[in-house]
Amino acid sequence: MHPTTPAVFLIARPSIDVDGMRGYLQDVGGESWLKRRLGEADGDLAGGETLVEFGGRACYRSWEPGLNPNVTKVRTDQREYFANILRSAHGSVLEHANYSFAIRNCSRIFTHELVRHRAGSAFSQESLRYVRLTDIGFRVPPALEPVREQVIAIVEQLEEFQLSAAKELGIDEEGVPFHVKKEVTSALRRLAPTGLSTDIVWTANVRTLRHVIEMRTAPGAEEELRLTFDVIARIMQAEAPGLFQDFTRQDDGCWVPEYRKV
């Protein structure tokens, strides 16, 4: 057994096709908006935030005054534009921007709870039906620190069983077909702790991220989820500050938005 700690890696973010946006805006009449945003960003647009603003302005044709007779004034400051979206709970436009995370060395307890957030998410998890357990990673949660040595002894015993059973069943012998290895590997995972470390790739849109960060850093959330989503919240506030501008981290580790259920 080896000790582990969950780690979070942001592995994908939205990217903008500027030529495609420009072509649309040339047709609808809002090129000045794109020119302004490109100038502010020195040509390097923040994909997620730009995409959300693009979707929101398309709803009202609010690229500039005059394109929609009902719109005589538009917000040019992007941060204030997003603040208005959050205040008015115009959350559907947040679903355009998706971010992907590789979460390393989280427990299967963590993943069992994460996959409950199905709306606005995609998941790809390391499969113990195919991946044989030869070296179990495990994080002893704080509540079990007083019995840490007993916990480690139990996990090491389970790890030793994985190795000895695989050897006794002969699945590494020459000529053993893959479907047999898969069947045995799948059966052996039943004798592994649900707290063992695993990896999962999670993609979520901004609306989902806001909801899950709030839910999984709340005081009643499971401690490993609180730990991990504290990291995710910090990543997203740095990555898309306008879309997470209303979140505040409390002293107890909770991330609380000013505008809930956007």
Side-chain angles (χ1 to χ4, degrees):
M1 192 207 89
H2 62 278
T4 61
T5 301
V8 180
F9 304 88
L10 177 64
I11 61 171
R13 58 174 62 88
S15 63
I16 298 299
D17 187 321
V18 174
D19 290 338
M21 276 192 172
R22 185 178 288 115
Y24 171 85
L25 293 169
Q26 285 173 346
D27 198 50
V28 78
E31 292 176 88
S32 62
W33 169 80
L34 182 58
K35 184 177 180 180
R36 181 168 59 252
R37 290 290 176 258
L38 286 169
E40 293 168 349
D42 292 327
D44 187 18
L45 292 172
E49 293 186 325
T50 304
L51 185 58
V52 168
E53 185 181 3
F54 186 92
R57 291 194 182 278
C59 293
Y60 300 96
R61 202 183 292 177
S62 60
W63 309 106
E64 57 190 52
L67 295 177
N68 175 359
N70 290 335
V71 176
T72 57
K73 184 179 180 180
V74 299
R75 292 178 176 84
T76 57
D77 181 82
Q78 190 181 63
R79 186 175 178 87
E80 174 53 31
Y81 180 83
F82 291 143
N84 184 61
I85 283 179
L86 298 174
R87 283 193 300 267
S88 60
H90 189 19
S92 63
V93 296
L94 303 182
E95 296 178 17
H96 289 295
N98 289 273
Y99 294 83
S100 296
F101 303 87
I103 304 174
R104 171 83 171 135
N105 285 327
C106 58
S107 72
R108 295 183 78 84
I109 291 169
F110 176 98
T111 62
H112 289 347
E113 295 209 18
L114 178 64
V115 299
R116 296 175 187 172
H117 298 287
R118 296 178 299 280
S121 290
F123 308 97
S124 295
Q125 183 173 357
E126 182 180 67
S127 173
L128 295 188
R129 191 179 184 196
Y130 295 93
V131 178
R132 183 115 53 86
L133 289 171
T134 56
D135 182 15
I136 293 179
F138 193 88
R139 171 180 171 269
V140 179
L144 296 182
E145 278 297 333
V147 291
R148 181 183 184 86
E149 295 308 314
Q150 292 170 256
V151 171
I152 292 174
I154 291 170
V155 176
E156 287 182 340
Q157 184 179 3
L158 291 170
E159 180 182 78
E160 176 57 34
F161 170 77
Q162 296 289 325
L163 299 171
S164 61
K167 182 177 181 180
E168 187 172 339
L169 293 168
I171 59 175
D172 286 325
E173 294 177 3
E174 186 176 351
V176 176
F178 181 77
H179 75 271
V180 174
K181 294 182 178 183
K182 182 179 73 171
E183 182 179 8
V184 174
T185 299
S186 180
L188 285 174
R189 63 180 168 169
R190 286 163 169 76
L191 279 300
T194 58
L196 67 82
S197 297
T198 188
D199 294 353
I200 190 168
V201 176
W202 177 46
T203 298
N205 67 51
V206 168
R207 194 179 204 178
T208 294
L209 276 165
R210 286 178 55 92
H211 170 68
V212 181
I213 287 170
E214 180 186 4
M215 293 286 290
R216 297 304 185 174
T217 61
E222 207 274 340
E223 63 87 22
E224 185 185 0
L225 279 93
R226 296 196 77 199
L227 173 72
T228 307
F229 273 95
D230 181 64
V231 176
I232 291 173
R234 293 172 190 272
I235 289 173
M236 290 312 305
Q237 202 163 61
E239 177 72 22
L243 303 180
F244 291 82
Q245 61 181 279
D246 60 320
F247 270 84
T248 303
R249 188 183 189 277
Q250 307 297 307
D251 292 340
D252 62 358
C254 300
W255 284 81
V256 181
E258 182 179 357
Y259 307 109
R260 300 186 66 248
K261 296 188 181 298
V262 173

